Structures are given as C-alpha cells and as structure tokens.
Amino acid sequence: MDHSLTERADTCPVCAEDSVTLHQCCPNKKDSLCEPCWSKIISGEIERGRIGSLFLGELLCNFCNKPIERNRLPKDLQSRLNNILLTIPRTKTPKSIEDFNYSYKDSNHLTHSLTNEKFVFLSQRHYNALGACIDVYIQSVMKSDQWNYKEIWLPEKSENVDDHHDQVNIFTSNDFETNENGCLILLQGSGVVRLGQWARSCCINESLDIGSMFPYMKKAKEHGLSVIILNPNQTSYVEKQICDNGTTTLSDRKTNSTEQQSSATNRQADDKKTTDSDNDLISYYLSPDPLPYPITKKIPNLSTNREHVLHVYDNVISKCPAKKFYIVAHSAGGDGLMFLLRKRQNTILKKTWKVAFTDSVHSVLPLESNEIKNFLKLHAIHFVASDQPMGEELDSVYDFSHGSACQEVSAGHPKHEYTSGYCVEGVFNFFFPSDHNIDRTAF
Ligand SMILES: [Zn+2]
Ligand SMILES: [Zn+2]
C-alpha cells in the first residue's frame, strides 16, 4: 500500500483542524479525515460492539456509505485493530481462553494477554465460543490446588468409568463429606451459565468478583462451611457434533488435535502476514449465523432444572453430614429451590438454616404448606435488583398476587445479572448475624 496516495495535508472536514495529515479510508476522497477523527470513529464502533463489521469489510463510511477499508486507516489504529484480531482463535475448536489471547492473569478481570485491554465484542458466535472456554477456565480453577474442589458426575454409574460424555458434573468442596458444621448450597439461574458462575456476561465484561461464585466459596471457607455447587442448566449431552460444512462427526479428540496441529503450522508459517486461513477463521468467527446445533440427548433423571435439583438432593446433599444448610438461589434457581422444598419438605426443612434468594423468580403458591410459608417468613431473605444501597429494606417490589414470601432488601445493583455478586456481604451478614453485630460495634 502506497501511503502517499491515501494521505494528504489539509483541513479535516470534521474537526476543522488545519494542516493535518488526512487519511482517505473509503472510496470517496472528500471523506479524508485526520487521525484523531478516525480514532474517535473506530473507538466508538469498538465500544458499541460493532467493530466486527469492519473486519468483514462491512463497516460503512458515515458520509458516502461505502465500506471503510481497514488497511487504509492510520498505522496506530491498524495495530490496535490487529491486536483485537488476535482474539480470534487460530482454530475452530478452541480449548481455552488463551486460544483467544484473553486471560484473567492475576486480576479478576478478563483482559487481552498482550495489550491488557478489556474484552471487545466481535460477534455472537465469537462471544459464545469464548464463553464456553470461560466455563472451562472457571472449573479448572475450582479443581486446582487453590480450591481443590471435587467433581462428581451424575447420574452415578455402577462402574468407575472415565467416559462422562452422557453425564452432568457438580462440584463440592473437599470437606463436603466430613464437615458437620454447615454446608453452603449454591443454585444458579437458568440460561448459558454453568458451574461456578452467576452470570457469564459479568465474567466477560465485569469481573469474576461479580460473575463467578468464587466470593461465595471464599466466604464459606471463612465461616467453616462446606460447599456444594449445582449445575442445573446442563440437562442434555452432545451425541453428535455438526461441522460447519454440514457433515456430522462424533465429537472425538482426533478432529480437535488435527485442528490444533494445523493452527500451530500456520503460526510458524507466517506470523505477520494475513493468510488465507486467517481470513477463513475471521469469516468463520464473525459470521452472523448461529452455529449449527449439535445433536443432543437429555440426561436421564436430570433432564430439567427441577429434576436436577431433586436428583442432586436425593443422591448427594441428603448424605451431607452438615447440621445446617445455607442456601443461595439466584433467578430461576429460586424456582428450583421452591420445587425441592415442596418435594422434600419433611427432610430438608429440618436442616435448612437460612435461605437467600438473589433477584429470584420463586413464588409462593396459594396451596403452599404452612411449614414452607412460615419457614420463608422467618429464615429467608430476598436480595432484589435495585438502585438502593445494598441491604436497604424495600417495600414489596415483587408484588406477585400472593405477596412476598419473605423479607425483601436491595441487592445494591439495578441489573439482574449483577445482583448475586453485589450482595455477597449482605447474604453472609444474614446467615451469620452475630458476626455482623461484632463488625458494627467495632467501627
Ligand atoms: Zn479531524
Ligand atoms: Zn466515505
């Protein structure tokens, strides 16, 4: 690219700055702008999550409505964009967030491994693929020496087999079978979230302090509680994976290792020049079309959110030696918990000490037993999405026709997905009010 063709010193038509180098980045010469103006336009597109269209050659110039050409933009801007392009994996089967050049490193914020910039949205397909790798990352941290959590596969199989493709995993702290003091039961909402997360979007855009269950795991440890984390959204397993070209293949490791090899070869072949394969990966990840759904089968006895909760209670939680259960249920997790309370009222209410709902969708039915109604009135709290300071009493915001089931306070954040992360202090102050009083007198 001969830059003398695209740059000329003149007055910028947008900001009216004199004697500046102008960059023509669209077919219309009159739309040549100075570097700060281009930078503003591109930054705006990045912030609005629309920069993916520039990489596809589909971002239109505001003035002539023709595509902006990325390789005509000012050099510094191009290198910023090239760094963003590095978040597109060199394989169609990424295995880790490192494949996206993202990491959590020492902080709890997802950042670009090379530039430390925060996450940039490119496309829904790219976002979903990264999200799946964040699931893997969070579970790997839970299994690591830091937490040493135990993975349990359900439904249990009679033999000790390594093949878990048709099961669902849950996690417990390593003292779950021995801790008689108390146990914290964490129940997430519905959707794409998996084990250890309250909200995937918060893990990506905010921090693990808000989006993950780590702060709750930490608090449980401080209070001498064991922990069990359910996985109620994993209700089916992949039987066959459909490739992008429409052919089906069993989701085996052979395909994946071949992909990884070819990506390693690409990396060696040429690091700087954009290759055909890079363009292929860019159009693959930035495609607006959803990926073909894999062929899945329901997991027997764990095929719905409610079945999952009941199965985990009957097969795992009911064997827990802890004298007291402390339960946190977010969003649809509240419905799962109410279902469990109804189905196993006689055993679970005896051991359940306190319940904290976080912006939950539970409701008390007209025919609800008095035991459940009274229990919730006395031992449950609901942290609701609100602008008010965390813990502030709210007037029946959830005015279901049957009234609120328990005390309702602000979670300290108006957005649903942030609530569990924001009210962790409030939840544990409710669980352990005496600690709270000590803290208060100390200040
Ligand atoms: Zn300008
Ligand atoms: Zn133009």
Side-chain angles (χ1 to χ4, degrees):
M1 176 71 44
D2 184 356
H3 269 265
S4 60
L5 287 175
T6 62
E7 296 173 11
R8 56 203 179 90
D10 214 333
T11 309
C12 173
V14 170
C15 65
E17 195 71 41
D18 254 340
S19 317
V20 284
T21 305
L22 297 182
H23 303 261
Q24 185 192 340
C25 307
C26 70
N28 188 11
K29 204 172 180 189
K30 282 184 185 160
D31 304 340
S32 302
L33 311 180
C34 74
E35 182 161 350
C37 282
W38 276 118
S39 181
K40 223 183 211 172
I41 291 170
I42 297 302
S43 298
E45 296 300 334
I46 290 173
E47 269 160 44
R48 282 189 287 273
R50 297 199 310 216
I51 202 63
S53 59
L54 175 69
F55 297 127
L56 292 173
E58 292 167 4
L59 183 67
L60 303 184
C61 164
N62 274 337
F63 309 100
C64 68
N65 267 330
K66 298 262 164 56
I68 295 171
E69 290 167 44
R70 176 162 60 95
N71 58 9
R72 288 176 139 197
L73 286 164
K75 275 268 177 297
D76 283 358
L77 218 41
Q78 282 195 44
S79 59
R80 185 177 175 198
L81 292 166
N82 287 337
N83 282 326
I84 293 173
L85 268 184
L86 289 176
T87 67
I88 290 179
R90 310 290 293 245
T91 161
K92 288 181 185 175
T93 53
K95 293 283 174 292
S96 68
I97 55 173
E98 284 77 23
D99 286 340
F100 292 79
N101 274 310
Y102 278 119
S103 73
Y104 283 103
K105 279 185 194 156
D106 302 326
S107 82
N108 283 327
H109 299 267
L110 186 73
T111 52
H112 193 297
S113 308
L114 304 171
T115 65
N116 277 327
E117 273 201 69
K118 55 185 253 195
F119 170 74
V120 173
F121 182 89
L122 293 176
S123 73
Q124 195 60 45
R125 191 184 267 203
H126 178 258
Y127 180 88
N128 293 351
L130 174 65
C133 289
I134 284 175
D135 298 349
V136 173
Y137 171 77
I138 286 178
Q139 296 188 27
S140 75
V141 174
M142 288 163 75
K143 282 192 271 190
S144 74
D145 289 346
Q146 190 188 343
W147 290 104
N148 208 5
Y149 270 42
K150 197 180 141 192
E151 190 171 33
I152 299 171
W153 290 95
L154 298 171
E156 278 177 70
K157 289 182 178 174
S158 44
E159 303 132 59
N160 228 350
V161 280
D162 283 338
D163 178 14
H164 299 299
H165 84 279
D166 53 356
Q167 292 169 294
V168 52
N169 59 345
I170 61 164
F171 274 105
T172 67
S173 58
N174 56 3
D175 62 345
F176 178 80
E177 285 166 26
T178 53
N179 185 332
E180 295 181 3
N181 176 39
C183 177
L184 177 70
I185 301 169
L186 298 178
L187 202 44
Q188 65 192 178
S190 61
V192 294
V193 278
R194 292 293 181 270
L195 267 182
Q197 297 171 54
W198 297 117
R200 181 185 271 185
S201 64
C202 291
C203 292
I204 293 177
N205 296 301
E206 199 58 43
S207 81
L208 295 179
D209 294 334
I210 304 300
S212 82
M213 292 178 176
F214 294 145
Y216 283 81
M217 290 154 58
K218 193 167 166 246
K219 282 275 182 192
K221 207 170 184 182
E222 285 168 18
H223 287 278
L225 305 179
S226 63
V227 180
I228 181 163
I229 299 179
L230 280 70
N231 198 2
N233 296 312
Q234 190 81 48
T235 53
S236 50
Y237 63 91
V238 176
E239 197 186 31
K240 281 178 179 172
Q241 188 80 48
I242 300 173
C243 293
D244 206 32
N245 59 15
T247 58
T248 58
T249 153
L250 287 171
S251 58
D252 60 8
R253 285 176 196 90
K254 218 174 171 183
T255 329
N256 300 340
S257 68
T258 320
E259 282 277 1
Q260 274 170 352
Q261 275 171 14
S262 71
S263 106
T265 321
N266 284 346
R267 219 163 297 168
Q268 284 165 3
D270 197 340
D271 248 348
K272 285 185 186 114
K273 216 176 124 196
T274 309
T275 63
D276 286 346
S277 143
D278 284 333
N279 286 330
D280 178 45
L281 288 165
I282 291 170
S283 35
Y284 173 80
Y285 276 101
L286 301 189
S287 162
D289 304 326
L291 280 173
Y293 285 109
I295 299 166
T296 58
K297 271 194 170 172
K298 287 286 183 187
I299 303 171
N301 300 318
L302 293 126
S303 67
T304 65
N305 185 310
R306 287 177 164 192
E307 264 187 22
H308 177 95
V309 175
L310 201 59
H311 187 95
V312 173
Y313 179 77
D314 288 344
N315 293 276
V316 187
I317 298 175
S318 62
K319 293 169 189 162
C320 173
K323 290 188 189 80
K324 296 173 182 174
F325 291 154
Y326 299 82
I327 306 176
V328 181
H330 174 58
S331 190
D335 174 75
L337 175 60
M338 289 304 293
F339 178 75
L340 177 63
L341 293 181
R342 279 170 209 135
K343 289 284 176 188
R344 298 292 181 261
Q345 180 180 315
N346 293 334
T347 55
I348 195 173
L349 280 187
K350 277 184 211 141
K351 287 182 92 179
T352 304
W353 193 249
K354 296 267 171 101
V355 170
F357 296 103
T358 63
D359 216 38
S360 154
V361 293
H362 63 277
S363 54
V364 176
L365 303 174
L367 292 172
E368 211 74 78
S369 75
N370 283 329
E371 284 86 347
I372 290 180
K373 280 188 201 162
N374 291 336
F375 173 82
L376 294 178
K377 279 264 175 274
L378 294 171
H379 303 289
I381 193 167
H382 187 191
F383 288 87
V384 181
S386 160
D387 282 327
Q388 301 299 312
M390 199 276 291
E392 196 156 294
E393 196 90 28
L394 301 173
D395 301 327
S396 253
V397 262
Y398 267 90
D399 201 19
F400 289 120
S401 50
H402 321 299
S404 61
C406 61
Q407 182 191 8
E408 299 197 314
V409 299
S410 168
H413 201 285
K415 282 191 186 159
H416 175 68
E417 63 272 26
Y418 285 70
T419 49
S420 304
Y422 267 77
C423 67
V424 58
E425 286 290 334
V427 167
F428 278 84
N429 287 342
F430 175 73
F431 286 169
F432 299 97
S434 55
D435 294 12
H436 185 45
N437 291 340
I438 292 163
D439 284 343
R440 278 197 165 175
T441 49
F443 285 109

